[in-house]
Amino acid sequence: MPVWDPDVYQRYKAYRDRPALDLMLQIPRDLAPREIWDLGCGTGEHAALLAARHPDARVHGLDSSPEMLARGRAMRADIDWVLGDIATFAPEMPPDLIFTNAALQWVDGHEALFPRLMGLLAPGGVLACQIPVVADDGWRRSLRETALDGPWSARLADVERVRSGVDPRPYHDWLSPLSQDLDVWVTTYVHALGGEDPIVDWTSGTSLRPYLEALGDPAERAAFLAAWRARLAVDYPRREDGVTLFPFSRLFVVARRY
């Protein structure tokens, strides 16, 4: 996992919040959870919303970033903020709700991970998940191609990339034998972004950050960004009204355990 920058990540908070809120609205209304985990909780806003929505529940927020958890802890001290790895997540008590927004794409082996998370739930518990649809096209393709096509290529060849979560059908197949109710869907959000380099800005707190961390020379980093900006200007031209349209697809899963 790369080291996140909470300030940069929060810059597009409204856009990043909407999928989480859309996911939250699909949690079954008859669920009365007593034990809730937000996996990859980031700066903690969604864990705080879950705590407000379920005041009788014990809410835990797990993240691998101390910087992110510090923001959450400053916001709500009554939530159990846990520094940890989703891949080894093993709660002491079976959760009634596992909520995870834009985090599981960083974890390998979804064919084993998703059934394992379902197995951790209490009977009747719910797994509610959202992950970006990671297609190897658009800005992701141009970022990787720019990384491999320049004097920096040796330093960027092994930069960890986000895991693929393209096809929703395997998620149905993995979870349907374990679920009394299962909903899997994909939504494409078309973000209208302002600014000179909005896609560079958007990704600089997440996907772009590992590439920048691998380039220690400021001049080389600037050259790499200039090369990628040139690609983005062609693929995502600024519109006449001054905005850059940035389509972003996300996969949603809400599964209720037997």
Side-chain angles (χ1 to χ4, degrees):
M1 289 286 290
V3 177
W4 302 126
D5 184 329
D7 291 324
V8 175
Y9 189 83
Q10 291 291 82
R11 199 167 294 158
Y12 293 99
K13 183 178 184 300
Y15 296 106
R16 297 187 189 280
D17 271 351
R18 183 175 172 186
L21 298 177
D22 288 347
L23 175 63
M24 210 172 289
L25 288 173
Q26 299 307 314
I27 296 171
R29 296 191 177 187
D30 65 338
L31 186 70
R34 302 302 298 246
E35 198 73 15
I36 297 174
W37 280 86
D38 181 357
L39 302 185
C41 63
T43 50
E45 286 89 350
H46 307 138
L49 284 174
L50 290 167
R53 184 178 182 184
H54 303 286
D56 295 329
R58 177 65 169 150
V59 178
H60 313 263
L62 180 141
D63 204 276
S64 63
S65 168
E67 296 85 2
M68 292 287 198
L69 290 174
R71 294 291 181 92
R73 194 171 291 111
M75 177 176 51
R76 292 238 1 198
D78 59 331
I79 291 174
D80 178 33
W81 303 105
V82 179
L83 182 66
D85 186 350
I86 294 173
T88 57
F89 170 62
E92 293 181 2
M93 295 182 60
D96 303 296
L97 172 62
I98 295 175
F99 181 91
T100 177
N101 179 68
L104 298 190
Q105 72 272 15
W106 295 102
V107 185
D108 283 322
H110 283 191
E111 69 281 359
L113 173 66
F114 275 73
R116 187 176 77 80
L117 293 177
M118 284 292 288
L120 294 174
L121 289 166
V126 170
L127 170 65
C129 169
Q130 180 271 122
I131 57 175
V133 172
V134 184
D136 192 21
D137 58 8
W139 67 269
R140 296 183 189 276
R141 183 190 62 235
S142 67
L143 175 59
R144 189 61 181 166
E145 289 177 353
T146 302
L148 298 179
D149 183 23
W152 45 73
S153 60
R155 283 173 291 287
L156 299 181
D158 297 326
V159 169
E160 185 179 29
R161 286 177 291 169
V162 69
R163 275 57 171 187
S164 178
V166 177
D167 190 345
R169 291 170 292 185
Y171 294 85
H172 173 90
D173 295 341
W174 298 330
L175 295 176
S176 60
L178 308 172
S179 307
Q180 57 175 290
D181 192 23
L182 174 63
D183 193 7
V184 180
W185 73 98
V186 173
T187 298
T188 299
Y189 299 85
V190 182
H191 303 311
L193 306 181
E196 292 294 320
D197 295 296
I199 297 177
V200 172
D201 202 30
W202 174 286
T203 59
S204 62
T206 52
S207 301
L208 178 59
R209 191 169 174 86
Y211 293 88
L212 299 183
E213 289 173 348
L215 297 175
D217 180 0
E220 187 174 50
R221 184 182 298 177
F224 169 72
L225 286 175
W228 191 39
R229 285 188 179 102
R231 291 285 303 270
L232 291 173
V234 174
D235 296 338
Y236 298 89
R238 192 177 307 172
R239 322 302 290 186
E240 291 184 2
D241 60 359
V243 306
T244 299
L245 296 182
F246 184 41
F248 204 111
S249 297
R250 297 178 181 269
L251 170 68
F252 295 81
V253 174
V254 176
R256 192 163 200 169
R257 181 181 173 178
Y258 278 111

